[in-house]
Amino acid sequence: MSSKLNETEKKSAFFIHLFPNVGWFLFPHHLAALTMIPKGPHETEELLTISVHPDTLKEPDAEKKLDDMLKFYDMVNAQDVGAVERLMSGIACSPYKGGRLTFRFEEPIHRFQNMMIDYMTKKPTVPKGDL
C-alpha cells in the first residue's frame, strides 16, 4: 500500500472524544471507533469497531497482524477496566472523603467530570481554553 503520509503523520495518532460516550482513535494504519453504552450505575458496555484500508487485507500475514492488534486492544482495555474498578472501589470506601485531583495527570478527568456536572445540571459552560 502506498502512503501519502509524511514522516510525522506516519508516527502520529489522534484521539478524538465526542461527549459523552464516543471516541475515535485514528492511527496511520487503522481507525478505531469506541462507543460506551451505560447499562446502569455500575455497568457500561463497550462497542469497538476497527476499520482498515482494503489494501491492508492484501498484505502478507494480514489476518495475524489484525488479530495481534485486537489482542493488544483487549489487553489494554482489560488493564483500563481493572484500574477504573480499583479506583471506584477505593472511592466507595467510607474513610475516603474526596480530594483534589492532581492537575498535571488528571486534567482530562477533571474536565470530563465538569462536563458531566454541567450536563446533569443543565448549566453548560465552555472552558476558557475552548473559546
Side-chain angles (χ1 to χ4, degrees):
M1 171 171 62
S2 66
S3 175
K4 295 181 181 180
L5 301 177
N6 65 39
E7 289 307 309
T8 300
E9 292 168 336
K10 289 177 184 177
K11 299 182 286 185
S12 298
F14 298 90
F15 300 89
I16 303 149
H17 289 274
L18 180 62
F19 178 80
N21 65 330
V22 177
W24 292 285
F25 316 134
L26 179 61
F27 296 90
H29 38 68
H30 73 280
L31 170 69
L34 176 65
T35 305
M36 295 157 278
I37 306 157
K39 295 294 186 178
H42 302 286
E43 182 180 1
T44 299
E45 180 180 308
E46 296 177 326
L47 174 63
L48 179 69
T49 304
I50 296 179
S51 301
V52 297
H53 191 280
D55 289 349
T56 303
L57 303 174
K58 298 174 188 172
E59 293 180 12
D61 297 326
E63 191 170 323
K64 181 185 180 321
K65 289 177 184 177
L66 292 173
D67 188 51
D68 288 347
M69 183 174 60
L70 290 173
K71 286 178 184 175
F72 179 76
Y73 268 105
D74 190 47
M75 177 195 70
V76 170
N77 190 59
Q79 292 171 347
D80 288 348
V81 167
V84 169
E85 287 175 345
R86 288 188 301 278
L87 173 73
M88 297 311 294
S89 177
I91 288 173
C93 290
S94 57
Y96 179 74
K97 301 205 184 326
R100 184 179 175 142
L101 295 173
T102 304
F103 180 80
R104 180 174 171 207
F105 300 110
E106 299 176 308
E107 188 274 334
I109 296 167
H110 181 254
R111 187 175 184 163
F112 182 78
Q113 289 172 338
N114 282 319
M115 291 170 73
M116 289 301 299
I117 291 165
D118 289 351
Y119 180 76
M120 291 188 301
T121 60
K122 296 182 174 38
K123 296 179 184 175
T125 59
V126 178
K128 290 179 184 177
D130 290 353
L131 294 176

